[in-house]
Amino acid sequence: MFKLRKQLLIGMTALSFAAMGMTAYAQADGAPGQHAPTAEQKAKFAEKMAKRQAKWHDDLKITPAQETAWQTFLGKIKPVKPADAAQQRPGKEEWAKQTAPERMDHQMEFLKRAETRLAERTAAVKEFYAVLTPVQQKVFDEHFKKMEHHRFGHRGFHRGGPDGRP
């Protein structure tokens, strides 16, 4: 009898934790990160970016002759939100009404825009990389590795071994 009571108590506790979790999830209006950032968050992000860029600038030891190439590089890789971003992404209601082929078309358009942005950034990196000395190129490569790890490492894309295996 004691075992049954203990198992029921454990089961009820587990169910109550699950219910609390579902309640908290239901109260969150959509998925986390789906709301527009506040002005304070934007300012904090801009401050962090400025610090990273200053550190990168110092680590690369950019010469005065390379300064214009550095500024051009930063301008080209800076993320820019398109003016018609609201039109590019359908709302939840519109998305729910669309057929599978229409959704696929939207996804294809998104991927084409992403490919264009990546090609522009790649061209900017190659252009700036050509201006750097071999020592600076090694420093740039190290910073780029850290940046990739920071960007993709937290999302499960990073693999431990050199051959891509964990």
Side-chain angles (χ1 to χ4, degrees), residues 158-161 163-166:
H158 178 73
R159 300 288 185 232
D163 59 351
R165 293 183 183 165

Side-chain angles (χ1 to χ4, degrees), residues 147-165:
M147 192 171 59
E148 284 178 322
H149 177 72
H150 176 74
R151 184 169 179 201
F152 298 115
H154 298 292
R155 296 185 185 153
F157 294 120
H158 178 73
R159 300 288 185 232
D163 59 351
R165 293 183 183 165

Side-chain angles (χ1 to χ4, degrees), residues 11-27:
M12 293 301 290
T13 305
L15 285 174
S16 65
F17 280 129
M20 286 189 302
M22 290 188 332
T23 304
Y25 182 77
Q27 288 175 352

Side-chain angles (χ1 to χ4, degrees), residues 96-165:
K97 292 177 188 175
Q98 290 182 346
T99 64
E102 290 171 335
R103 290 180 183 187
M104 294 301 290
D105 286 340
H106 275 287
Q107 291 173 355
M108 184 67 77
E109 289 172 24
F110 172 79
L111 289 174
K112 286 179 183 176
R113 287 190 305 271
E115 183 180 17
T116 302
R117 287 191 310 268
L118 182 60
E120 291 168 357
R121 290 175 65 96
T122 301
V125 167
K126 287 180 180 180
E127 183 180 317
F128 180 64
Y129 197 81
V131 175
L132 299 175
T133 66
V135 173
Q136 289 173 319
Q137 288 176 350
K138 287 183 181 183
V139 173
F140 187 92
D141 290 341
E142 286 302 312
H143 269 272
F144 207 78
K145 282 180 191 175
K146 289 177 186 175
M147 192 171 59
E148 284 178 322
H149 177 72
H150 176 74
R151 184 169 179 201
F152 298 115
H154 298 292
R155 296 185 185 153
F157 294 120
H158 178 73
R159 300 288 185 232
D163 59 351
R165 293 183 183 165

Side-chain angles (χ1 to χ4, degrees), residues 43-57:
K44 189 175 181 180
F45 178 76
E47 182 182 330
K48 278 184 172 181
M49 286 299 295
K51 284 182 182 178
R52 281 190 203 129
Q53 288 172 357
K55 182 178 178 351
W56 206 5
H57 183 276

Side-chain angles (χ1 to χ4, degrees), residues 75-91:
K76 287 183 178 180
I77 66 165
K78 183 177 181 179
V80 178
K81 188 172 185 174
D84 60 345
Q87 293 175 343
Q88 292 176 353
R89 187 173 190 179

